[in-house]
């Protein structure tokens, strides 16, 4: 079956990680395992990409195709520090691990289509919600601008790894907008409550000291 899939689809080296990489995301990696040292060495030599399937639910399925932008350091023992960038979401259809005489896995993949149909009103609502969230958690929000896509902010809004994994499976920007907006509508009231509690505690600089009730 695997050989048939190789003939019908594109293949990529696989670098499973317990994280979610997004398209256009810059990701720095320290490569130290022997199989992945070989994988990166082959990609550098062949000027090819690889995939980071997200190992989230005890399986390898959806992930992101990555390109190597820069090798910042190569160690004498073959380890690498590299800068990578996400290109597109892919789905692993089948894999061979290890592949032939390699130490790493290679998988047959398909590219997941992306429909860039974002809604302007949803984007404005997300922008305002993220601004408020940043204010509440006291994060510098000067870098947030209205030309963002959902993938640009997805790592910055408190999504769990499982939620991020669900996000990369959505094929339309409008779906992703609704997904993160639903998340923000849940998390913002909790952050407001925390902020109100902090303000009450700090109102006089300390908790008020009350005399204990007298015994009768």
């Amino acid at each position: 079956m695997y050989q048939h899939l190789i003939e019908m689809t594109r293949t990529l080296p696989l670098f499973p990680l317990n994280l979610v990489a997004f398209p256009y995301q810059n990701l720095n990696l320290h490569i130290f395992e022997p199989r992945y040292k070989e994988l990166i060495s082959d990609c550098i030599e062949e000027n090819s990409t690889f995939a980071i399937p997200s190992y989230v639910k005890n399986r390898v399925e959806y992930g992101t195709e990555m390109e190597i932008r820069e090798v910042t350091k190569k160690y004498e023992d073959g380890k690498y520090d590299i800068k990578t960038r996400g290109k597109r979401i892919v789905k692993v259809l089948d894999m061979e691990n290890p592949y032939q005489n390699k130490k790493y896995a290679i998988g047959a993949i398909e590219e997941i289509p992306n429909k860039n149909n974002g809604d302007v009103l949803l984007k404005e609502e997300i922008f305002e919600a993220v601004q408020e969230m940043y204010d509440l958690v006291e994060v510098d929000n000067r870098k947030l601008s209205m030309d963002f896509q959902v993938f640009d902010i997805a790592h910055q809004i408190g999504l769990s790894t499982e939620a991020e994994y669900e996000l990369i499976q959505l094929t339309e920007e409008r779906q992703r907008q609704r997904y993160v907006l639903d998340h923000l509508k849940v998390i913002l009231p909790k952050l407001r409550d925390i902020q109100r509690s902090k303000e009450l505690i700090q109102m006089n600089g300390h908790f008020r000291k009350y005399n204990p009730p007298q015994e009768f």
Side-chain angles (χ1 to χ4, degrees):
M1 178 181 176
Y2 181 78
Q3 293 298 327
H4 173 69
L5 284 170
I6 286 182
E7 294 172 2
M8 298 294 293
T9 61
R10 189 157 66 94
T11 62
L12 285 176
L14 302 181
F15 189 165
L17 288 173
N18 187 28
L19 59 79
V20 176
F22 294 118
Y24 321 119
Q25 174 191 352
N26 295 317
L27 182 63
N28 297 332
L29 295 172
H30 175 64
I31 312 299
F32 60 90
E33 288 190 46
R35 54 182 167 169
Y36 298 132
K37 290 192 293 186
E38 182 182 35
L39 183 155
I40 295 302
S41 177
D42 287 350
C43 287
I44 292 170
E45 183 178 344
E46 299 168 13
N47 193 27
S48 61
T49 59
F50 64 97
I52 296 182
S54 301
Y55 189 73
V56 175
K57 297 185 176 180
N58 297 319
R59 67 177 185 269
V60 169
E61 189 172 11
Y62 289 92
T64 302
E65 182 178 359
M66 310 294 291
E67 61 180 352
I68 299 172
R69 303 296 295 272
E70 182 183 347
V71 177
T72 55
K73 185 172 182 178
K74 182 178 180 181
Y75 299 81
E76 291 183 0
D77 60 0
K79 292 186 291 191
Y80 289 94
D81 291 334
I82 60 174
K83 293 182 178 180
T84 70
R85 184 172 174 83
K87 295 189 67 176
R88 60 182 64 86
I89 303 299
V90 296
K91 182 179 182 180
V92 179
L93 302 175
D94 201 356
M95 64 184 290
E96 187 173 320
N97 185 24
Y99 176 69
Q100 295 184 0
N101 63 337
K102 301 296 184 181
K103 296 177 182 176
Y104 56 86
I106 285 184
I109 62 99
E110 68 172 339
E111 298 177 9
I112 301 301
N114 176 43
K115 190 173 183 180
N116 192 13
N117 61 346
D119 181 89
V120 174
L121 295 179
L122 289 174
K123 177 183 262 193
E124 290 177 352
E125 194 171 353
I126 293 169
F127 180 85
E128 292 174 359
V130 172
Q131 289 277 55
E132 182 182 358
M133 186 192 75
Y134 285 178
D135 288 339
L136 289 169
V137 298
E138 300 177 354
V139 170
D140 185 356
N141 56 24
R142 288 177 297 179
K143 294 182 179 180
L144 184 63
S145 61
M146 274 300 294
D147 62 352
F148 72 92
Q149 299 290 312
V150 167
F151 285 145
D152 297 330
I153 64 168
H155 280 317
Q156 305 164 20
I157 57 174
L159 290 171
S160 67
T161 303
E162 290 77 11
E164 291 181 345
Y165 186 67
E166 291 179 4
L167 187 65
I168 66 171
Q169 298 176 51
L170 301 179
T171 59
E172 299 184 15
E173 178 68 5
R174 193 170 299 181
Q175 292 175 325
R176 294 189 288 269
Q177 286 177 324
R178 294 193 181 103
Y179 187 92
V180 300
L181 195 54
D182 286 344
H183 164 74
L184 290 166
K185 286 179 178 178
V186 170
I187 197 172
L188 276 175
K190 297 177 181 178
L191 292 174
R192 293 183 192 119
D193 288 343
I194 292 171
Q195 183 62 29
R196 279 194 291 269
S197 297
K198 287 171 60 178
E199 290 171 355
L200 286 172
I201 291 170
Q202 295 170 358
M203 189 175 297
N204 293 318
H206 54 79
F207 285 107
R208 293 173 184 242
K209 294 182 179 179
Y210 293 97
N211 293 325
Q214 295 182 5
E215 295 182 3
F216 293 93

